[in-house]
Amino acid sequence: MVTKNLQSQNRRSFLSTSVKGSLGLATLSLPSLSFASNKQITWRVVLQHRNGAQHKKWLWLEEELPKRTNNRLKIELTTIPELGLQGTEILRVLKTGMVDVAEVLTGYVASDFPAMEATDLPGLISSYPQARTVYDTWVQAVVNNNEAMMGGKTIATFSYGTMPVFTKFPLNSLEDFQGQKIRVFSPAQARYITALGGEPISMPIADVYSALQRGIMDGLITGLEWVSGMKMWEIAGHVSDINIAPLGCYIVVSQRSWERLPEDLKTIVLGLSEELTDLGWQLGQEDMDSGLRLAAEHNMTINIPGKDTWQPRLKQICEEDILPWWAKRAGKKGVESFNEALSPILTISA
């Protein structure tokens, strides 16, 4: 009970301080830290969740960082739900400096930084390897040049894999979406579902199971790791590919924490970047493979890849609705970056 009370107090304390920082109130009274070359630094890392294979990359980093820095840098892990957050505010939290490192899920923060969502627009990406190429390119072209918007230094990316739609109803044609309430987690997904005749709902993943049970929603867009994590066969026994892009994520070190890190440790962290990114994308594929296996074992209806008859309509929505809409949100600079960096890969212009 004491431990539970302390955790509750920590969450309240964190939220209170973070809100003050994000509102630009009085300067936070933070301890002045002087990092000598041999002083141990512990970074607090905020994960989206601990479900699925993606948690393994952090277990790997927990071992590698102390090993490669002679125990001068280590990490401790927490999650967005454990801090009482929802994920949509994570860029603002990073800017306060109240966490050191965070997983930044593109769709969750697209309202704060619309240009980010270029990599996750429904209908654009044709394969998982192409998604990796798109993310690598966008990091260099846009993300690394916008550290102030990102709240810090991006050191890696990873992916939760292809995002299918799980439904309580059989999806025999796209017309079956008419009037159905579907949980989404990005502005582009909301527009996509609306174009298909559905009603998009925004809801934290932790609340989805009970919402499906109670009939508050009829389906959701999420990753295949949740087949296991949510026992999806109990609540939404049909899974279909409707060309939602593989969901990518950025690993961002807050500006405050990065600036306080000694130069030699910065070099070591950046030296881990490619390995961490490779591992993160490999684990995304692992989640997809294991999720599909489990869905088949539990006799879920699987439409992956999506039906050929769906493709013309999905392509039309992307080209005539989603992409022009995103271009208005991203602005002239975002469109120019898209056309210069991503158009050669995707063979389409914004």
Side-chain angles (χ1 to χ4, degrees), residues 48-66:
Q48 293 290 325
H49 53 73
R50 301 180 193 268
N51 182 54
Q54 283 299 341
H55 188 60
K56 296 177 185 178
K57 69 181 179 294
W58 293 112
L59 302 181
W60 173 80
L61 198 61
E62 273 187 319
E63 292 185 0
E64 289 299 314
L65 269 180

Side-chain angles (χ1 to χ4, degrees), residues 270-289:
L270 292 177
L272 284 163
S273 176
E274 185 174 352
E275 292 175 77
L276 185 57
T277 297
D278 286 345
L279 179 57
W281 284 82
Q282 290 166 15
L283 293 172
Q285 184 65 59
E286 182 179 320
D287 272 333
M288 289 189 290
D289 294 342

Side-chain angles (χ1 to χ4, degrees), residues 97-342:
M98 296 310 299
V99 299
D100 301 295
V101 185
E103 293 182 344
V104 177
L105 196 154
T106 306
Y108 280 14
V109 301
S111 295
D112 287 346
F113 189 10
M116 282 183 69
E117 203 173 9
T119 54
D120 287 52
L121 297 178
L124 277 187
I125 306 295
S126 61
S127 69
Y128 192 63
Q130 186 187 57
R132 169 69 191 273
T133 300
V134 165
Y135 259 83
D136 288 349
T137 303
W138 204 238
V139 167
Q140 295 301 319
V142 172
V143 174
N144 284 349
N145 297 322
N146 285 276
E147 290 186 6
M149 291 294 294
M150 294 295 293
K153 179 77 172 176
T154 299
I155 61 169
T157 66
F158 65 94
S159 176
Y160 284 110
T162 299
M163 294 288 111
V165 59
F166 295 88
T167 56
K168 297 169 68 173
F169 56 91
L171 190 63
N172 297 313
S173 73
L174 295 179
E175 285 67 35
D176 293 331
F177 277 113
Q178 194 68 40
Q180 303 285 3
K181 296 179 176 64
I182 306 297
R183 181 259 184 182
V184 301
F185 56 85
S186 78
Q189 290 175 10
R191 192 169 183 92
Y192 199 60
I193 291 298
T194 299
L196 288 168
E199 181 181 335
I201 294 176
S202 179
M203 181 180 293
I205 194 70
D207 299 334
V208 164
Y209 189 94
S210 61
L212 283 165
Q213 279 186 320
R214 291 179 286 144
I216 294 174
M217 66 172 66
D218 306 297
L220 72 153
I221 296 170
T222 195
L224 286 158
E225 75 272 14
W226 288 105
V227 174
S228 170
M230 209 178 290
K231 296 184 178 179
M232 203 65 78
W233 55 89
E234 297 180 347
I235 49 172
H238 309 271
V239 55
S240 304
D241 179 5
I242 57 170
N243 296 357
I244 302 290
L247 173 63
C249 241
Y250 299 93
I251 298 175
V252 181
V253 181
S254 74
Q255 182 179 6
R256 173 178 174 270
S257 300
W258 186 252
E259 288 178 350
R260 288 169 173 250
L261 196 66
E263 291 299 321
D264 63 324
L265 293 188
K266 288 180 182 178
T267 300
I268 293 171
V269 171
L270 292 177
L272 284 163
S273 176
E274 185 174 352
E275 292 175 77
L276 185 57
T277 297
D278 286 345
L279 179 57
W281 284 82
Q282 290 166 15
L283 293 172
Q285 184 65 59
E286 182 179 320
D287 272 333
M288 289 189 290
D289 294 342
S290 61
L292 284 174
R293 281 196 302 270
L294 194 58
E297 289 172 9
H298 286 274
N299 299 312
M300 294 179 66
T301 303
I302 302 173
N303 288 314
I304 297 176
K307 297 182 179 181
D308 291 341
T309 54
W310 300 351
Q311 304 313 310
R313 176 62 178 145
L314 296 176
K315 182 179 180 182
Q316 180 187 27
I317 293 173
C318 173
E319 294 181 354
E320 298 180 8
D321 189 326
I322 300 299
L323 194 53
W325 163 83
W326 172 83
K328 290 180 181 178
R329 297 179 70 239
K332 181 180 178 181
K333 193 170 182 180
V335 170
E336 289 175 350
S337 296
F338 182 100
N339 290 338
E340 180 179 338
L342 299 188

